Amino acid sequence: MAQKKIGVVGATFLVAGNMMGSGVFLLPSSLAKIGTASIWGWLVTTAGALLLAFVFAKLGKLAPKAGGPYAYARDWFGPYMGFQTNTIYWFANWIGNVAIPIAAVGYFSYFFPILSQPVPRCIAVLALVWALSFANVIGPAFVSRVQTVTTSFALVPILGIAIFGWFFFDPTIFKGAYNVSGESNFGAISSAAALTLWAFIGVESASVTAGVVENPEKNVARATLAGVFLAAVAYIASSSVIMGMVPNGDLQVSDAPFALAAANAVGGWGGALVSLCAFIGAAGSLGGWILLTAQSAKAASDDGLFPSIFSKTNKDDVPVKGVLIVAVLMTLAVLVTSTSETASAQFDVITSAAVVLTLLPYIYSCVACYFVVERSHTLVHIGAFWFLTSITVVYCLWAIFGSSGSIVQYAFLFVLFITVFYPFFSEERRRQRGQLPPLEATTSTKLS
């Protein structure tokens, strides 16, 4: 019996739901440090995310590749760029993963205020990291079932506040905190654009729905763009309304901004309901992101561009050692940032680093998209795509510009540092060591 596929509407909501379930719950507190001018940052980021969605939808249609940005960099820029992209993308994933349990514990502190303190918060975050890591060891099917259930909980606070919060919106509160960052308006909006990009990280994974979508050549691109647009509407509406429901000073130090807004509107029961849903949604999404991180490392390891330990799997084809390594590294990241006074401050550091690292693979993918289009389109189409991909690259560079100077500095040093490890994975060196057949033998085999 043929598998029943989903239409463009179902695929659109799938894309939107996947993004909205991946850890946006502390962003209102982070953006409160900038002020309501951050709404302009949301609008710019939405435009940039739609451009990125278009790029990945086009790549998914014309040149579907297992491995995403890594595969495009490898195929169009060579093995070194593939190695660099995978390493950066892998680091960005496991660093960004840490923000998800931080957000979850921040909301659980609504019930147990002691979790707002650094040491108890650190212990709780680590407990979530290891619990979901062991869930991945059980197998992807188990993680998928868990995430399917928990994602629906994640949508409750985001959509609930975005729709019903306007009944409690106070324009005076909103207007009174336009730009509290101490920067110029341009600087504030640039900072907001860098922060809000976190909410759209993962847009490149939307094209994986192609196998279960009707008429994927058209509907994957439509669903990707429409899904990003719907998520953006929910993000902008919920962030705007929260900034008009909660005084800026209270919002800046809140570890559970959606719950605080709900409690201010309808009382403690509303805050409790939102906190519980946000905790379940964020915690559940962590399992899927740990799996994605381990699988991206496995793809590069299978190609010989990452340590071989990451390609080792158990009888259920789960890269257990890769999952455990990710858990250890996430543990270190939690410990390093655990001195932050609030969960939102810890969240800021983690997400800023993850966004900066993710943008470089995005830039490579944009350029690869131009080359892919060049092979199969007319001169007019090629010119249009050159313009679109160039604008997308400029947007990515602007998002880097808006990030913290110290984080950009460390990210740049990291990109240079990983260069010294490439000789251990280069194709030429592996041929010299006998790990690959000689080039002449490979060529003669292909010719025959």
Side-chain angles (χ1 to χ4, degrees), residues 54-65 72 365-366 368-369 372:
F54 184 79
V55 166
F56 284 107
K58 198 68 177 178
L59 285 169
K61 176 183 176 181
L62 297 179
K65 298 284 184 180
Y72 296 123
S365 296
C366 289
C369 184
V372 170

Side-chain angles (χ1 to χ4, degrees), residues 296-309:
S296 68
K298 181 181 181 300
S301 181
D302 289 342
D303 288 341
L305 291 175
F306 217 54
S308 59
I309 191 173

Side-chain angles (χ1 to χ4, degrees), residues 1-22:
M1 183 177 178
Q3 182 185 19
K4 185 178 181 180
K5 296 189 175 184
I6 60 176
V8 65
V9 175
T12 296
F13 281 96
L14 180 64
V15 171
N18 283 345
M19 282 191 295
M20 288 193 283
S22 62

